[in-house]
């Protein structure tokens, strides 16, 4: 039988089925009640009877939970350990996440990280690790046939991490990226600011990793934290999957049985405040057109008697499309891009209650007023029956997913054991949830929510607000969310009169060698075409670019990358960028162009008398060579240094770059070679850019046009 006959027969059967279905619908067309959605009855969700894992304790104090499941030839597991932010010194914030990452990426003495990657990939297995504020963990997943090998390696990673220096440095790169981008997303910024408002900025739970706290982290710091956290007497292990319990007990005894109890004290608890002083915190953020608004106060723990009622309250107040905040602020008033609430119930410690809204800048204060009003209402009157039913049903529907897979019951049992919760916590919560009423929600709200003692937070552009901050009737406190720059790594400067004279002579001599400052100053516009390659994360990407300047500061640049064209411009007042079908403003362009103009050859060689250079005693090494160096006094660019070769020619510039979400902060060196005549001046046709001593970009000038005809409309943001 041919494929064509198969397709024909399938289509015929489909046509018959559709015909029968249509006839049946027509026969019942008069019975409208069958299709009336108002008469549909939703059956109640059945009570869930979770699986019962087996619990036992190893001689060293480690608690183990086992649960067999032979549906798939897979075994997975996790080990939990108590931790505390008090174990991380103030000058090493970021240590916990770094050490947790390098435990796995660095591997052990017997299983180095790169070799471990290759072996796990070859057998389709995975091992992970992490250290958070309150707990640490390490997990694995593998095929049944590799269980013994993978559990042995997993135990080795948990017990004997190597913390090699190269992996520590790589983890620091990731942390620097996180620091550089932490103000980019409004929701994350609001959540972090709310935690600081509730806990206090100096509280261990509210600290943030900074460049200055990440840089000094060493292997010794990682070893010390690991020794305090990863101890057997405070370990809780959970293993799930295709194994026999007796065999697994024997395997765990072999891999963990000789791990001696440490006898170290439990990680110290960190106190958190129970109340806050009412006020309005304002964090200026001028690169946005919308505001983030939060109402916050201390929350409670998940073992609080009000927990079930608070979960229903959270859903009814701000948990979805049917919530009060959504209906009032977004649907009825059209003021919110997003809005919601969190009851602030944490398992480890009292959490942070918050209600939030994102709105356009021009409706900031009215949105704050509405947010405060709706939060206060839940403490004064009960939910309507419809509100309660919708909120409670949503919580109940979500509850069943706690039991979607038997492994969830197992791993949650281990989590509860670690944190001192009863193993039947979820079943008790299920009963409490059944008993929730509109009155119990109101009573819980009155006990846990204090509208008269909350902190309001606004992040946004104040000049666009619809009213003054003081109109909220709260004392206003301005907070600084700017990211502190990395520790100063620039050259040591001794600004003596002799050093200043020497620096000026070097720059004047370099200008003369390049054709004279008058030749450079005569250039008013320029177009430069380049071919370049950039090294990012071990990959080299080649691209071409064209840059047009109307000096001193109007600029447009086009880069043709393998994945498309990117264009950036600055018209003297505002910046923009386009690419991948998107066009957007670039609020940081003015600062970036000002710094680039300052260190450009057009300024340095065209206006040498306007700069004050201080010659340094020691040369600066770059790409294996030593260069005479002079620092520019009063520069916009931090640590701007001009480099000169042995012949006195300007060889490049160096400076501190603050970095971006895509690029960590670094000492940048731009080296210029292959000087050739271009009209009356000499211009370098090759450039190499190094970041922290490593080559980042290599570029060649393929064409340069001096004083081309350039119109101002070239630099203006294009129409959409």
């Amino acid at each position: 039988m041919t494929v064509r006959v198969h397709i024909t027969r399938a289509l015929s059967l489909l046509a018959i089925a559709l015909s029968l279905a249509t006839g049946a619908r027509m026969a019942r067309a008069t019975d409208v009640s069958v299709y009336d959605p108002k008469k549909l009855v939703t059956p109640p969700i059945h009570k869930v009877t979770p699986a019962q894992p087996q619990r036992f304790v190893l001689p060293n104090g480690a608690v183990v939970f086992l649960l067999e499941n032979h549906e798939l030839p897979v075994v997975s597991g996790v080990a939990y350990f108590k931790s505390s932010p008090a174990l991380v010194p103030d000058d090493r914030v970021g240590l916990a996440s770094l050490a947790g990452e390098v435990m796995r990426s660095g591997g052990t003495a017997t299983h180095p990280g790169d070799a471990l990657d290759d072996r796990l990939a070859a057998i389709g297995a995975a091992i992970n690790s992490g250290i958070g504020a309150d707990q640490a963990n390490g997990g694995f997943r593998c095929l049944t046939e590799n269980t013994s090998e993978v559990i042995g390696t997993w135990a080795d990673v948990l017990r004997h991490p190597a913390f090699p220096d190269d992996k520590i440095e790589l983890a620091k790169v990731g942390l620097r990226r996180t620091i550089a981008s932490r103000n980019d997303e409004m929701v994350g910024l609001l959540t972090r600011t709310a935690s600081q408002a509730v806990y206090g900025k100096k509280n261990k739970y509210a600290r943030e990793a900074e460049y200055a706290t990440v840089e000094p982290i060493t292997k010794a710091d990682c070893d010390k934290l690991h020794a305090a956290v990863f101890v057997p007497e405070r370990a809780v292990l959970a293993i799930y999957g295709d194994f026999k319990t007796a065999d697994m007990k024997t395997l765990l005894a072999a891999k963990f049985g000789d791990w001696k109890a440490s006898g170290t004290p439990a990680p110290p608890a960190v106190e958190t405040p129970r109340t806050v002083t009412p006020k309005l915190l304002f964090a200026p953020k001028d690169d946005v057109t919308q505001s983030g608004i939060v109402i916050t106060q201390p929350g409670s723990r998940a073992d609080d008697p009000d927990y079930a009622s608070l979960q229903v309250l959270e859903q009814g107040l701000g948990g979805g499309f049917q919530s009060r905040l959504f209906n009032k602020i977004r649907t009825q008033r059209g003021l919110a891009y997003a809005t919601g609430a969190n009851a602030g119930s944490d398992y480890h410690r009292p959490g942070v209650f918050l209600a939030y809204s994102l709105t356009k800048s021009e409706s900031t204060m009215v949105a704050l007023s509405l947010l405060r009003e709706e939060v206060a209402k839940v403490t004064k009157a009960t939910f309507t029956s419809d509100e309660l039913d919708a909120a409670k049903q949503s919580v109940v529907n979500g509850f069943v997913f706690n039991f979607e897979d038997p492994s969830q019951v197992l791993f949650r049992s281990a989590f509860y054991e670690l944190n001192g919760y009863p193993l039947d916590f979820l079943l008790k919560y299920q009963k409490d949830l059944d008993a929730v009423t509109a009155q119990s929600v109101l009573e819980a709200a009155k006990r846990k929510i204090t509208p008269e003692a909350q902190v309001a937070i606004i992040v946004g552009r104040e000049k666009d607000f619809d009213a003054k901050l003081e109109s909220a009737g709260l004392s206003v406190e301005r907070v600084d969310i700017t990211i502190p720059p990395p520790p100063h790594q620039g050259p040591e400067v001794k600004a003596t009169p002799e050093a200043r004279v020497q620096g000026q002579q070097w720059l004047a001599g370099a200008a003369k060698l390049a054709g004279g400052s008058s030749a450079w100053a005569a250039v008013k516009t320029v177009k430069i075409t380049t071919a370049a390659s950039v090294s990012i994360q071990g990959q080299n990407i080649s691209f071409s670019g064209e840059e047009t300047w109307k000096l001193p500061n109007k600029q447009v640049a086009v880069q043709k990358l393998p994945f498309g064209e990117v264009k950036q411009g600055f018209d003297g007042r505002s910046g923009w960028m386009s690419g991948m079908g998107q066009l957007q403003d670039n609020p940081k362009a003015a600062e970036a162009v000002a710094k680039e103009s300052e260190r450009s050859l057009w300024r340095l060689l065209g206006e040498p008398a306007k700069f004050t250079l201080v010659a340094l005693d020691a040369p600066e090494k770059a790409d294996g060579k030593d260069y005479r160096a002079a620092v520019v006094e009063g520069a916009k660019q931090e640590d701007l240094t001009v480099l000169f070769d042995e012949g006195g020619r300007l060889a490049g510039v160096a400076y501190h770059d603050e970095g971006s979400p895509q690029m960590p902060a670094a000492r940048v060196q731009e080296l210029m070679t292959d000087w050739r005549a271009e009209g009356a001046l000499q211009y370098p046709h090759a450039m190499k850019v190094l970041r922290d001593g490593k080559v980042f970009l290599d570029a060649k000038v393929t064409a340069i046009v001096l004083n081309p005809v350039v119109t101002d409309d070239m630099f203006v943001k294009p129409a959409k």
Side-chain angles (χ1 to χ4, degrees):
M1 185 179 291
T2 65
V3 173
R4 186 180 187 88
V5 172
H6 276 302
I7 294 175
T8 302
R9 178 173 294 177
L11 290 174
S12 298
L13 292 172
L14 178 60
I16 293 170
L18 289 173
S19 176
L20 291 172
T22 302
R25 286 197 299 270
M26 291 178 64
R28 295 195 303 266
T30 56
D31 188 6
V32 179
S33 64
V34 175
Y35 303 100
D36 185 355
K38 295 180 180 179
K39 296 184 177 181
L40 291 176
V41 177
T42 303
I45 295 177
H46 294 294
K47 298 297 181 186
V48 179
T49 303
Q52 295 296 321
Q54 184 177 144
R55 179 187 184 279
F56 66 97
V57 181
L58 293 174
N60 56 18
V63 177
V64 181
F65 289 89
L66 300 179
L67 184 60
E68 294 185 33
N69 186 296
H70 304 284
E71 293 180 359
L72 295 173
V74 175
V75 178
S76 59
V78 67
Y80 292 120
F81 300 83
K82 274 277 191 181
S83 186
S84 168
L87 297 173
V88 176
D90 289 340
D91 62 353
R92 295 293 192 277
V93 180
L95 169 62
S97 62
L98 183 147
E101 176 184 338
V102 180
M103 278 184 65
R104 167 60 186 86
S105 66
T108 69
T110 53
H111 300 92
D114 293 340
L116 180 56
D117 291 342
D118 293 339
R119 178 55 185 164
L120 294 177
I123 62 176
I127 292 176
N128 57 69
S129 62
I131 304 177
D134 295 291
Q135 72 174 44
N137 63 78
F140 76 89
R141 183 178 175 84
C142 66
L143 296 174
T144 303
E145 61 196 69
N146 304 121
T147 300
S148 180
E149 175 189 351
V150 173
I151 286 184
T153 306
W154 173 57
D156 194 26
V157 169
L158 293 176
R159 298 176 59 181
H160 310 116
F163 295 118
D165 289 337
D166 61 331
K167 297 302 183 182
I168 290 175
E169 289 305 312
L170 187 60
K172 286 182 181 180
V173 172
L175 276 173
R176 294 187 197 110
R177 289 200 184 105
T178 300
I179 293 168
S181 62
R182 73 183 180 204
N183 287 343
D184 292 352
E185 294 296 329
M186 181 66 80
V187 173
L189 173 56
L190 288 172
T191 303
R192 189 174 70 249
T193 308
S195 293
Q196 292 174 348
V198 169
Y199 293 137
K201 202 162 187 178
K202 294 184 179 180
N203 187 279
K204 301 290 186 182
Y205 284 117
R207 297 177 305 178
E208 295 178 293
E210 304 288 2
Y211 295 119
T213 65
V214 169
E215 294 310 315
I217 294 174
T218 64
K219 169 180 165 53
D221 297 317
C222 296
D223 286 333
K224 183 177 180 180
L225 180 63
H226 174 267
V229 174
F230 287 82
V231 297
E233 66 266 35
R234 290 190 289 276
V236 182
L237 282 62
I239 314 293
Y240 173 81
D242 186 27
F243 60 83
K244 292 183 179 179
T245 297
D247 294 340
M248 182 57 68
K249 287 183 175 181
T250 300
L251 179 59
L252 293 177
K255 303 302 181 184
F256 291 96
D258 63 338
W259 193 6
K260 303 299 183 183
S262 69
T264 59
V270 175
E271 291 296 322
T272 58
R274 297 184 179 182
T275 60
V276 292
T277 302
K279 57 188 170 182
L280 170 58
L281 298 181
F282 171 63
K285 185 171 172 61
D286 292 333
D287 60 346
V288 295
T289 57
Q290 69 174 17
S291 297
I293 308 166
V294 166
I295 304 295
T296 188
Q297 66 169 78
S300 55
R301 278 176 48 105
D303 55 0
D304 189 284
D306 287 327
Y307 178 61
S309 293
L310 289 173
Q311 297 309 294
V312 175
L313 181 145
E314 173 185 306
Q315 195 67 30
L317 176 61
F321 295 115
Q322 294 178 303
S323 70
R324 285 187 174 183
L325 292 179
F326 193 94
N327 285 325
K328 183 70 172 184
I329 302 178
R330 180 178 172 121
T331 304
Q332 295 178 22
R333 299 294 296 272
L335 296 180
Y337 300 107
T339 187
N342 190 303
S345 300
D346 203 328
Y347 284 91
H348 305 284
R349 62 185 184 277
V352 176
F353 169 87
L354 60 85
Y356 74 93
S357 181
L358 305 182
T359 187
K360 61 184 179 181
S361 300
E362 294 79 5
S363 57
T364 299
M365 300 309 293
V366 68
L368 170 61
S369 177
L370 290 171
L371 197 63
R372 296 174 70 189
E373 179 183 318
E374 291 304 318
V375 169
K377 280 183 179 179
V378 298
T379 68
K380 297 175 181 177
T382 60
F383 282 159
T384 66
S385 58
D386 288 343
E387 287 177 322
L388 179 69
D389 290 344
K392 190 172 179 179
Q393 192 64 35
S394 179
V395 176
V396 171
N397 288 344
F399 174 78
V400 299
F401 291 103
N402 291 312
F403 306 93
E404 190 175 12
D405 187 281
S407 64
Q408 293 173 282
V409 178
L410 172 76
F411 297 132
R412 192 171 287 106
S413 296
F415 177 82
Y416 292 153
E417 175 84 25
L418 182 79
N419 291 287
Y421 284 70
L423 298 184
D424 64 347
F425 173 79
L426 269 188
L427 294 179
K428 180 181 182 302
Y429 168 65
Q430 187 178 32
K431 294 178 181 178
D432 291 344
L433 193 57
D434 289 340
V436 169
T437 64
Q439 188 61 33
S440 72
V441 171
L442 175 62
E443 291 170 357
K446 288 181 176 180
R447 283 189 288 268
K448 297 299 188 299
I449 301 176
T450 54
E452 70 283 356
Q454 294 177 332
V455 175
I457 300 169
I458 297 177
V459 179
R461 189 160 59 185
E462 184 178 9
K463 66 179 182 179
D464 295 336
F465 292 173
D466 49 324
K468 292 185 178 298
L469 295 169
E470 290 76 12
S471 66
L474 297 168
S475 62
V476 178
E477 182 179 320
R478 296 174 183 271
V479 296
D480 184 7
I481 60 171
T482 57
I483 300 169
H488 186 274
Q489 297 179 347
E492 183 179 353
V493 181
K494 298 177 182 178
T496 65
E498 294 78 12
R500 288 192 176 95
V501 171
Q502 182 69 82
Q504 296 304 116
Q505 290 177 347
W506 286 348
L507 185 58
K512 186 176 181 179
L513 287 173
S517 58
S518 59
W520 282 85
V523 177
K524 306 302 181 183
T525 61
V526 63
K527 180 183 290 185
I528 304 171
T529 306
T530 57
S533 65
V534 64
S535 178
I536 299 178
Q537 297 180 353
Q539 297 185 358
N540 287 321
I541 301 174
S542 298
F543 64 94
S544 61
E546 183 180 273
E547 188 173 59
T548 302
W549 280 81
K550 185 174 182 180
L551 301 168
N553 64 349
K554 293 183 180 179
Q555 180 194 80
V556 64
V558 180
Q559 294 176 338
K560 295 182 179 179
L561 302 162
F563 43 81
E565 182 178 281
V566 176
K567 193 172 184 178
Q568 300 183 70
F570 182 73
D571 62 7
R573 295 186 305 274
S574 58
W576 52 271
M577 60 188 304
S578 65
M580 314 304 147
Q582 297 186 19
L583 175 65
Q584 60 189 37
D585 293 328
N586 182 6
K588 298 181 179 180
E591 180 183 3
V593 172
K595 291 179 178 179
E596 186 175 356
S597 175
E598 179 181 56
R599 65 178 184 265
S600 72
L601 296 179
W602 312 106
R603 289 285 309 282
L604 289 170
L605 299 178
E607 303 173 330
K610 291 185 177 181
F611 291 88
T612 300
L613 269 67
V614 180
L616 301 179
D617 295 336
E620 176 155 339
K621 185 178 289 294
D623 202 27
K625 296 181 180 179
D626 286 339
Y627 296 92
R628 289 184 291 176
V631 171
V632 179
E633 281 193 333
K636 297 182 178 69
Q637 181 76 62
E638 186 178 355
D639 295 331
L640 179 58
T641 306
V642 184
L643 309 178
F644 304 90
D645 65 19
E646 292 180 349
R649 189 182 292 280
L650 196 153
V653 295
Y655 53 90
H656 172 75
D657 177 51
E658 294 180 358
S660 68
Q662 296 77 30
M663 195 74 61
R667 175 74 172 171
V668 175
Q669 296 166 317
E670 298 178 1
L671 305 179
M672 305 165 194
T673 56
D674 191 17
W675 291 74
R676 303 182 205 167
E678 291 289 350
L681 54 80
Q682 294 278 323
Y683 191 85
H685 283 61
M687 175 185 283
K688 185 180 288 187
V689 178
L690 293 80
R691 297 182 67 87
D692 286 341
K694 297 180 180 179
V695 176
F696 169 69
L697 180 140
D698 210 331
K700 305 289 185 185
V701 174
T702 57
I704 181 170
V705 181
L706 303 179
N707 290 318
V709 176
V710 173
T711 58
D712 285 345
D713 59 358
M714 290 181 59
F715 309 101
V716 177
K717 180 181 177 181
K720 291 184 179 181

